[in-house]
Amino acid sequence: MKTELIVALDVASVEEAVAKVKQIGDAVTFYKIGLELYSAVGPDVVKAVKDFGKKIFLDLKLHDIPRTVERAVKSIGSLGVDLTTIHAAGGRAMARAAKDAALTFGERAPKILAVTMLTSLDQTDLDDLGIGRSMSEQVAALGKLACGNGVDGVVCSPKEVAMMRQTLGAEALLVTPGVRPAGAAVGDQKRVATPADAVRAGSTHLVVGRPILQAEDPASAARSIRAEMESCR
Ligand code: C5P
C-alpha cells in the first residue's frame, strides 16, 4: 500500500485554512482537521477544504458512551470525511458502535482510527490511572482491543509502528505524526522520525504539520517530503 501524506491544518480560521490549501495546491491531497480548529469554526471548514477536492482526516478523538459515539460518527460521516478518530479506552462496545455507524455510509464510510495512549502521557500517568502495565504493553493491548472490534487502525508514533504492525497485522492502518524531515525544527515533538524512516517502518499515513505549514514555500516542502517517501518504496 502506498503511504499517504496528510498535512495537519493547524490554523485558527476557515479563511486561513482555505488560504493554505490554495497555496499548497496539488502538492497535497489529504488534510487533517483537529479538535482546536473544528471547535472554533465547526463543520464549515470540512466543507471548505472538501470543495478543493481534498480528502479529510477529522481528528476529534471521540470518547463517550456507545450511543453518543454512534450518533457523532453518523454526523461525521455525513460530512464526507475519509478518516476519523476515537479513544481505544472507550472499550469494545464504543469501538463497535463507531464502526457500525461508519458502515451505514457504505462505500463512503469513514475509516475509524483508535488513539491508544496519548503521547503526552508517560509511565507516571499510567501509574496514576492505576494501570499496572508498561506503556508499550498498554499501547499494544489497546490497539488489539480496538482493531479486534472493527476499528481500521491506530494513530501511533513512528517509533511504535513496527511493533504495532506486528501486533495488529498487515491490514491495519498505522497513522503517524511526529515526522520531521532531516534538519527540520522538531518543535514540541519528543520522539521524531524522518519520512523515510516512517515509511520503511510500515506507516500507511504520515501526518506532518509545521514543517510544511510554516515553510517559506509550503508546496515545495510537501513535494520534497513526498519525494523522500517515494524514494524508499
Ligand atoms: O506540526 P506537527 O507536524 O508536529 O503536527 C503534528 C500533528 O499531529 C498535530 O496536529 C498534532 O496535534 C497531531 N498529533 C501529534 N501527536 C500525537 C497525536 C496527534 O503530534 N500523538
PDB file of all heavy atoms in Angstrom, residues 8 10 32 59 61 117-120 155 177-180 186 188-189 207-211, ligand 1:
ATOM      1  N   ALA A   8      -1.386  18.375   8.605  1.00  0.00           N
ATOM      2  CA  ALA A   8      -2.185  18.840   9.751  1.00  0.00           C
ATOM      3  C   ALA A   8      -2.473  20.323   9.556  1.00  0.00           C
ATOM      4  O   ALA A   8      -1.568  21.156   9.602  1.00  0.00           O
ATOM      5  CB  ALA A   8      -1.418  18.609  11.049  1.00  0.00           C
ATOM      6  N   ASP A  10      -3.303  22.953  11.089  1.00  0.00           N
ATOM      7  CA  ASP A  10      -3.413  23.565  12.420  1.00  0.00           C
ATOM      8  C   ASP A  10      -3.380  25.089  12.290  1.00  0.00           C
ATOM      9  O   ASP A  10      -2.348  25.723  12.504  1.00  0.00           O
ATOM     10  CB  ASP A  10      -2.298  23.032  13.331  1.00  0.00           C
ATOM     11  CG  ASP A  10      -2.481  21.553  13.638  1.00  0.00           C
ATOM     12  OD1 ASP A  10      -3.637  21.094  13.668  1.00  0.00           O
ATOM     13  OD2 ASP A  10      -1.476  20.850  13.831  1.00  0.00           O
ATOM     14  N   LYS A  32      -5.569  17.032   7.669  1.00  0.00           N
ATOM     15  CA  LYS A  32      -6.126  16.698   8.997  1.00  0.00           C
ATOM     16  C   LYS A  32      -6.698  17.962   9.629  1.00  0.00           C
ATOM     17  O   LYS A  32      -6.004  18.984   9.722  1.00  0.00           O
ATOM     18  CB  LYS A  32      -5.035  16.131   9.913  1.00  0.00           C
ATOM     19  CG  LYS A  32      -5.574  15.826  11.321  1.00  0.00           C
ATOM     20  CD  LYS A  32      -4.564  15.087  12.167  1.00  0.00           C
ATOM     21  CE  LYS A  32      -3.649  15.981  12.950  1.00  0.00           C
ATOM     22  NZ  LYS A  32      -4.302  16.660  14.101  1.00  0.00           N
ATOM     23  N   ASP A  59      -9.960  14.693  13.157  1.00  0.00           N
ATOM     24  CA  ASP A  59      -9.339  14.095  14.347  1.00  0.00           C
ATOM     25  C   ASP A  59      -9.961  14.666  15.617  1.00  0.00           C
ATOM     26  O   ASP A  59      -9.442  15.620  16.196  1.00  0.00           O
ATOM     27  CB  ASP A  59      -7.827  14.387  14.283  1.00  0.00           C
ATOM     28  CG  ASP A  59      -7.065  13.763  15.429  1.00  0.00           C
ATOM     29  OD1 ASP A  59      -7.583  12.827  16.066  1.00  0.00           O
ATOM     30  OD2 ASP A  59      -5.932  14.221  15.705  1.00  0.00           O
ATOM     31  N   LYS A  61     -11.023  12.564  18.299  1.00  0.00           N
ATOM     32  CA  LYS A  61     -10.729  11.640  19.413  1.00  0.00           C
ATOM     33  C   LYS A  61     -11.957  11.429  20.302  1.00  0.00           C
ATOM     34  O   LYS A  61     -11.950  11.740  21.494  1.00  0.00           O
ATOM     35  CB  LYS A  61      -9.543  12.151  20.235  1.00  0.00           C
ATOM     36  CG  LYS A  61      -8.258  12.274  19.431  1.00  0.00           C
ATOM     37  CD  LYS A  61      -7.078  12.624  20.309  1.00  0.00           C
ATOM     38  CE  LYS A  61      -5.789  12.734  19.525  1.00  0.00           C
ATOM     39  NZ  LYS A  61      -5.706  13.904  18.627  1.00  0.00           N
ATOM     40  N   MET A 117      -2.625   5.327  23.809  1.00  0.00           N
ATOM     41  CA  MET A 117      -2.288   6.231  24.908  1.00  0.00           C
ATOM     42  C   MET A 117      -1.774   7.529  24.291  1.00  0.00           C
ATOM     43  O   MET A 117      -0.910   7.496  23.413  1.00  0.00           O
ATOM     44  CB  MET A 117      -1.175   5.621  25.776  1.00  0.00           C
ATOM     45  CG  MET A 117      -1.611   4.376  26.528  1.00  0.00           C
ATOM     46  SD  MET A 117      -3.022   4.669  27.618  1.00  0.00           S
ATOM     47  CE  MET A 117      -2.258   5.659  28.904  1.00  0.00           C
ATOM     48  N   LEU A 118      -2.297   8.660  24.733  1.00  0.00           N
ATOM     49  CA  LEU A 118      -1.815   9.941  24.215  1.00  0.00           C
ATOM     50  C   LEU A 118      -0.309  10.020  24.430  1.00  0.00           C
ATOM     51  O   LEU A 118       0.202   9.596  25.477  1.00  0.00           O
ATOM     52  CB  LEU A 118      -2.504  11.095  24.953  1.00  0.00           C
ATOM     53  CG  LEU A 118      -4.004  11.229  24.732  1.00  0.00           C
ATOM     54  CD1 LEU A 118      -4.599  12.230  25.719  1.00  0.00           C
ATOM     55  CD2 LEU A 118      -4.300  11.639  23.303  1.00  0.00           C
ATOM     56  N   THR A 119       0.390  10.595  23.458  1.00  0.00           N
ATOM     57  CA  THR A 119       1.856  10.662  23.597  1.00  0.00           C
ATOM     58  C   THR A 119       2.284  11.691  24.648  1.00  0.00           C
ATOM     59  O   THR A 119       3.444  11.767  24.996  1.00  0.00           O
ATOM     60  CB  THR A 119       2.526  10.991  22.252  1.00  0.00           C
ATOM     61  OG1 THR A 119       1.809  12.087  21.671  1.00  0.00           O
ATOM     62  CG2 THR A 119       2.498   9.810  21.309  1.00  0.00           C
ATOM     63  N   SER A 120       1.324  12.448  25.163  1.00  0.00           N
ATOM     64  CA  SER A 120       1.653  13.384  26.249  1.00  0.00           C
ATOM     65  C   SER A 120       1.700  12.666  27.599  1.00  0.00           C
ATOM     66  O   SER A 120       2.087  13.269  28.603  1.00  0.00           O
ATOM     67  CB  SER A 120       0.592  14.492  26.282  1.00  0.00           C
ATOM     68  OG  SER A 120      -0.703  13.905  26.295  1.00  0.00           O
ATOM     69  N   VAL A 155      -3.542   5.501  15.560  1.00  0.00           N
ATOM     70  CA  VAL A 155      -2.579   6.593  15.465  1.00  0.00           C
ATOM     71  C   VAL A 155      -1.436   6.198  16.387  1.00  0.00           C
ATOM     72  O   VAL A 155      -1.676   5.829  17.542  1.00  0.00           O
ATOM     73  CB  VAL A 155      -3.204   7.923  15.950  1.00  0.00           C
ATOM     74  CG1 VAL A 155      -2.181   9.051  15.840  1.00  0.00           C
ATOM     75  CG2 VAL A 155      -4.453   8.248  15.167  1.00  0.00           C
ATOM     76  N   PRO A 177       1.993  10.750  13.361  1.00  0.00           N
ATOM     77  CA  PRO A 177       2.543  12.100  13.493  1.00  0.00           C
ATOM     78  C   PRO A 177       3.972  11.998  14.030  1.00  0.00           C
ATOM     79  O   PRO A 177       4.514  10.902  14.121  1.00  0.00           O
ATOM     80  CB  PRO A 177       1.612  12.769  14.495  1.00  0.00           C
ATOM     81  CG  PRO A 177       0.889  11.677  15.199  1.00  0.00           C
ATOM     82  CD  PRO A 177       1.139  10.379  14.488  1.00  0.00           C
ATOM     83  N   GLY A 178       4.571  13.133  14.354  1.00  0.00           N
ATOM     84  CA  GLY A 178       5.948  13.098  14.877  1.00  0.00           C
ATOM     85  C   GLY A 178       6.956  12.863  13.769  1.00  0.00           C
ATOM     86  O   GLY A 178       8.007  12.280  13.986  1.00  0.00           O
ATOM     87  N   VAL A 179       6.626  13.321  12.560  1.00  0.00           N
ATOM     88  CA  VAL A 179       7.521  13.116  11.415  1.00  0.00           C
ATOM     89  C   VAL A 179       8.236  14.427  11.110  1.00  0.00           C
ATOM     90  O   VAL A 179       7.610  15.479  11.024  1.00  0.00           O
ATOM     91  CB  VAL A 179       6.707  12.647  10.186  1.00  0.00           C
ATOM     92  CG1 VAL A 179       7.596  12.537   8.960  1.00  0.00           C
ATOM     93  CG2 VAL A 179       6.026  11.318  10.487  1.00  0.00           C
ATOM     94  N   ARG A 180       9.537  14.344  10.988  1.00  0.00           N
ATOM     95  CA  ARG A 180      10.337  15.535  10.686  1.00  0.00           C
ATOM     96  C   ARG A 180      11.381  15.202   9.636  1.00  0.00           C
ATOM     97  O   ARG A 180      12.195  14.290   9.845  1.00  0.00           O
ATOM     98  CB  ARG A 180      11.085  16.024  11.946  1.00  0.00           C
ATOM     99  CG  ARG A 180      10.197  16.642  13.007  1.00  0.00           C
ATOM    100  CD  ARG A 180       9.660  17.985  12.527  1.00  0.00           C
ATOM    101  NE  ARG A 180       8.761  18.616  13.498  1.00  0.00           N
ATOM    102  CZ  ARG A 180       7.442  18.419  13.540  1.00  0.00           C
ATOM    103  NH1 ARG A 180       6.860  17.595  12.704  1.00  0.00           N
ATOM    104  NH2 ARG A 180       6.700  19.072  14.412  1.00  0.00           N
ATOM    105  N   VAL A 186      12.220  20.471  15.330  1.00  0.00           N
ATOM    106  CA  VAL A 186      11.453  19.407  15.979  1.00  0.00           C
ATOM    107  C   VAL A 186      10.226  19.986  16.686  1.00  0.00           C
ATOM    108  O   VAL A 186       9.201  19.327  16.814  1.00  0.00           O
ATOM    109  CB  VAL A 186      12.392  18.646  16.951  1.00  0.00           C
ATOM    110  CG1 VAL A 186      11.598  17.725  17.846  1.00  0.00           C
ATOM    111  CG2 VAL A 186      13.433  17.860  16.160  1.00  0.00           C
ATOM    112  N   ASP A 188       7.729  20.910  19.546  1.00  0.00           N
ATOM    113  CA  ASP A 188       7.459  20.228  20.822  1.00  0.00           C
ATOM    114  C   ASP A 188       7.373  18.710  20.667  1.00  0.00           C
ATOM    115  O   ASP A 188       7.027  18.014  21.619  1.00  0.00           O
ATOM    116  CB  ASP A 188       6.169  20.779  21.441  1.00  0.00           C
ATOM    117  CG  ASP A 188       4.979  20.663  20.501  1.00  0.00           C
ATOM    118  OD1 ASP A 188       5.153  20.146  19.373  1.00  0.00           O
ATOM    119  OD2 ASP A 188       3.887  21.094  20.884  1.00  0.00           O
ATOM    120  N   GLN A 189       7.667  18.173  19.493  1.00  0.00           N
ATOM    121  CA  GLN A 189       7.623  16.714  19.319  1.00  0.00           C
ATOM    122  C   GLN A 189       8.858  16.108  19.991  1.00  0.00           C
ATOM    123  O   GLN A 189       9.965  16.587  19.800  1.00  0.00           O
ATOM    124  CB  GLN A 189       7.609  16.336  17.821  1.00  0.00           C
ATOM    125  CG  GLN A 189       6.360  16.783  17.084  1.00  0.00           C
ATOM    126  CD  GLN A 189       5.146  15.906  17.390  1.00  0.00           C
ATOM    127  OE1 GLN A 189       5.191  15.042  18.258  1.00  0.00           O
ATOM    128  NE2 GLN A 189       4.051  16.160  16.682  1.00  0.00           N
ATOM    129  N   VAL A 207       1.472  12.106   9.182  1.00  0.00           N
ATOM    130  CA  VAL A 207       0.828  13.397   9.466  1.00  0.00           C
ATOM    131  C   VAL A 207       1.925  14.420   9.743  1.00  0.00           C
ATOM    132  O   VAL A 207       2.697  14.257  10.691  1.00  0.00           O
ATOM    133  CB  VAL A 207      -0.106  13.307  10.694  1.00  0.00           C
ATOM    134  CG1 VAL A 207      -0.714  14.678  10.998  1.00  0.00           C
ATOM    135  CG2 VAL A 207      -1.206  12.277  10.472  1.00  0.00           C
ATOM    136  N   VAL A 208       1.996  15.437   8.914  1.00  0.00           N
ATOM    137  CA  VAL A 208       3.036  16.461   9.070  1.00  0.00           C
ATOM    138  C   VAL A 208       2.366  17.831   9.099  1.00  0.00           C
ATOM    139  O   VAL A 208       1.547  18.134   8.226  1.00  0.00           O
ATOM    140  CB  VAL A 208       4.046  16.406   7.905  1.00  0.00           C
ATOM    141  CG1 VAL A 208       5.155  17.439   8.113  1.00  0.00           C
ATOM    142  CG2 VAL A 208       4.644  15.011   7.769  1.00  0.00           C
ATOM    143  N   GLY A 209       2.696  18.624  10.112  1.00  0.00           N
ATOM    144  CA  GLY A 209       2.111  19.958  10.222  1.00  0.00           C
ATOM    145  C   GLY A 209       3.115  21.056   9.959  1.00  0.00           C
ATOM    146  O   GLY A 209       3.330  21.463   8.818  1.00  0.00           O
ATOM    147  N   ARG A 210       3.765  21.509  11.038  1.00  0.00           N
ATOM    148  CA  ARG A 210       4.610  22.707  10.947  1.00  0.00           C
ATOM    149  C   ARG A 210       5.705  22.674   9.887  1.00  0.00           C
ATOM    150  O   ARG A 210       5.952  23.707   9.253  1.00  0.00           O
ATOM    151  CB  ARG A 210       5.187  23.016  12.338  1.00  0.00           C
ATOM    152  CG  ARG A 210       4.119  23.568  13.273  1.00  0.00           C
ATOM    153  CD  ARG A 210       4.496  23.461  14.717  1.00  0.00           C
ATOM    154  NE  ARG A 210       4.463  22.081  15.175  1.00  0.00           N
ATOM    155  CZ  ARG A 210       4.722  21.700  16.424  1.00  0.00           C
ATOM    156  NH1 ARG A 210       5.040  22.611  17.330  1.00  0.00           N
ATOM    157  NH2 ARG A 210       4.657  20.442  16.761  1.00  0.00           N
ATOM    158  N   PRO A 211       6.380  21.521   9.661  1.00  0.00           N
ATOM    159  CA  PRO A 211       7.433  21.565   8.636  1.00  0.00           C
ATOM    160  C   PRO A 211       6.898  21.954   7.252  1.00  0.00           C
ATOM    161  O   PRO A 211       7.666  22.431   6.411  1.00  0.00           O
ATOM    162  CB  PRO A 211       7.968  20.123   8.619  1.00  0.00           C
ATOM    163  CG  PRO A 211       7.672  19.606   9.992  1.00  0.00           C
ATOM    164  CD  PRO A 211       6.361  20.243  10.369  1.00  0.00           C
TER     165      PRO A 211
HETATM  166  O1  C5P B   1       3.283  20.318  13.452  1.00  0.00           O
HETATM  167  P1  C5P B   1       3.399  18.835  13.670  1.00  0.00           P
HETATM  168  O2  C5P B   1       3.995  18.105  12.471  1.00  0.00           O
HETATM  169  O3  C5P B   1       4.067  18.469  14.969  1.00  0.00           O
HETATM  170  O4  C5P B   1       1.869  18.367  13.743  1.00  0.00           O
HETATM  171  C1  C5P B   1       1.507  17.054  14.075  1.00  0.00           C
HETATM  172  C2  C5P B   1       0.016  16.975  14.172  1.00  0.00           C
HETATM  173  O5  C5P B   1      -0.325  15.679  14.670  1.00  0.00           O
HETATM  174  C3  C5P B   1      -0.616  17.962  15.142  1.00  0.00           C
HETATM  175  O6  C5P B   1      -1.913  18.287  14.628  1.00  0.00           O
HETATM  176  C4  C5P B   1      -0.714  17.198  16.431  1.00  0.00           C
HETATM  177  O7  C5P B   1      -1.760  17.634  17.249  1.00  0.00           O
HETATM  178  C5  C5P B   1      -1.003  15.778  15.925  1.00  0.00           C
HETATM  179  N1  C5P B   1      -0.629  14.716  16.824  1.00  0.00           N
HETATM  180  C6  C5P B   1       0.651  14.549  17.324  1.00  0.00           C
HETATM  181  N2  C5P B   1       0.949  13.529  18.176  1.00  0.00           N
HETATM  182  C7  C5P B   1       0.009  12.664  18.511  1.00  0.00           C
HETATM  183  C8  C5P B   1      -1.282  12.785  18.018  1.00  0.00           C
HETATM  184  C9  C5P B   1      -1.570  13.837  17.168  1.00  0.00           C
HETATM  185  O8  C5P B   1       1.530  15.324  17.000  1.00  0.00           O
HETATM  186  N3  C5P B   1       0.334  11.665  19.306  1.00  0.00           N
END
